[in-house]
Amino acid sequence: QVHLVESGGGSVQTGGSLQLSCTFSGYADNRPSFAWFRQAPGKEREGVAVIQPGSSTFYADSVKARATISRDNAKNTAYLQMTDLKLEDTAMYYCAARTIVGERWNIWRPEDYAYWGQGTQVTVSS
């Protein structure tokens, strides 16, 4: 059974930085693609960053200059580092993973990810 466990959220002041971690445990046929999504109160879940098994990365325009997604395959862990945090970055951040290969999919569509973590809260204040 696959589990994703996130860590690293918390309260940060504007302009600050943080790093989120997501560890994948359990059996998978393939190395996962990892994604970070976030959801603010009253808003839809939105994709933030994606890293594929070959380490190709993709970012939402809203974080592109401020976020770095990375992975450590030996630890089955993905990281999201964000700098210059803004009030609008406040949200619950969720890690997602997908292990299916060979099918067309949309990296920004939550439905295309089979595995999800519980979420970690990030609160940015002035």
Side-chain angles (χ1 to χ4, degrees):
Q1 190 172 4
V2 171
H3 291 283
L4 295 180
V5 178
E6 303 113 328
S7 62
S11 296
V12 187
Q13 289 192 317
T14 52
S17 62
L18 57 74
Q19 179 170 276
L20 306 180
S21 300
C22 171
T23 298
F24 181 108
S25 64
Y27 177 77
D29 289 333
N30 304 292
R31 188 167 286 171
S33 291
F34 287 103
W36 288 96
F37 287 79
R38 66 186 181 187
Q39 189 166 19
K43 295 190 175 181
E44 291 189 357
R45 191 168 295 193
E46 64 171 355
V48 177
V50 176
I51 186 164
Q52 294 185 323
S55 294
S56 296
T57 57
F58 305 88
Y59 298 94
D61 288 342
S62 58
V63 303
K64 189 171 290 185
R66 305 182 292 116
T68 302
I69 189 170
S70 60
R71 63 191 296 155
D72 183 336
N73 291 326
K75 296 181 179 180
N76 284 331
T77 299
Y79 305 94
L80 178 69
Q81 183 167 15
M82 292 188 65
T83 61
D84 191 22
L85 285 160
K86 305 178 185 301
L87 295 176
E88 53 265 38
D89 293 319
T90 294
M92 185 71 80
Y93 283 69
Y94 296 93
C95 177
R98 174 185 171 96
T99 59
I100 297 174
V101 298
E103 297 179 357
R104 278 199 170 187
W105 62 295
N106 184 329
I107 62 172
W108 299 119
R109 190 166 57 196
E111 295 83 353
D112 285 356
Y113 292 86
Y115 307 110
W116 289 84
Q118 293 290 92
T120 184
Q121 178 68 37
V122 173
T123 302
V124 184
S125 59
S126 58

